Amino acid sequence: MAAAAELTLLEKSLGLSKGNKYSAQGERQIPVLQTNNGPSLTGLTTIAAHLVKQANKEYLLGSTAEEKAVVQQWLEYRVTRVDGHSSKDGIHTVLKDLNSYLEDKVYLTGYNFTLADILLYYGLHRFIVSIQIVIGSFSAVFRMPFSHLS
């Protein structure tokens, strides 16, 4: 999913009125948002955090210092690890790591739903869908190896 589409979905889920126009910059198509009140904002996580604040839902950025740090860690993970991998092996490693990490957690920060959960879901969606399609073509004996990612 392109970053502009993700940001539009995020706006909708936050209850913001549509109207932001996104452009893309550079070879990696980094999203850019031109704000009405100042300089343009660049980068998926920067723009997403801005939208969360605009919607007055800052709890999605974490409520304690530690939770805020974990949210930032997972937002960075999304951009560096998930967006940086397109090979089957790379994505398999990401999914395996996430599955292990989520074994004793409900959400990435533990028990609180955050922006990190939203953006990681958006980033992984296309890979999870392709895995489910492949699994659906096998017999019922075959089980999804990433039970904590569903």
Side-chain angles (χ1 to χ4, degrees):
M1 181 183 312
E6 290 182 39
L7 292 167
T8 301
L9 280 173
L10 179 61
E11 284 179 2
K12 185 176 180 179
S13 69
L14 293 172
L16 294 171
S17 59
K18 292 177 12 180
N20 285 320
K21 300 285 186 216
Y22 302 101
S23 58
Q25 167 183 309
E27 184 178 309
R28 292 189 54 214
Q29 296 294 291
I30 307 297
V32 177
L33 169 65
Q34 181 59 52
T35 63
N36 295 329
N37 304 339
S40 59
L41 301 175
T42 304
L44 176 66
T45 61
T46 300
I47 296 169
H50 169 74
L51 294 174
V52 165
K53 291 174 185 176
Q54 203 174 36
N56 293 321
K57 297 187 178 185
E58 293 190 36
Y59 61 88
L60 290 172
L61 300 174
S63 55
T64 65
E66 291 81 14
E67 194 173 83
K68 288 177 183 182
V70 172
V71 169
Q72 287 302 312
Q73 169 188 301
W74 284 106
L75 292 175
E76 185 176 330
Y77 183 90
R78 158 62 204 272
V79 172
T80 59
R81 299 278 298 163
V82 175
D83 293 349
H85 287 291
S86 57
S87 72
K88 283 184 181 181
D89 289 339
I91 292 302
H92 186 269
T93 300
V94 166
L95 293 175
K96 186 176 164 188
D97 291 347
L98 279 171
N99 192 59
S100 293
Y101 179 80
L102 290 170
E103 188 172 354
D104 61 346
K105 295 168 189 62
V106 178
Y107 299 108
L108 292 169
T109 60
Y111 292 100
N112 297 317
F113 184 70
T114 66
L115 179 61
D117 296 290
I118 297 169
L119 290 187
L120 209 50
Y121 170 80
Y122 288 165
L124 291 172
H125 182 262
R126 64 186 165 120
F127 301 112
I128 299 294
V129 167
S130 67
I131 288 171
Q132 290 173 343
I133 290 169
V134 169
I135 289 172
S137 66
F138 289 98
S139 69
V141 176
F142 186 80
R143 294 189 47 186
M144 184 170 173
F146 307 112
S147 59
H148 302 294
L149 294 176
S150 54

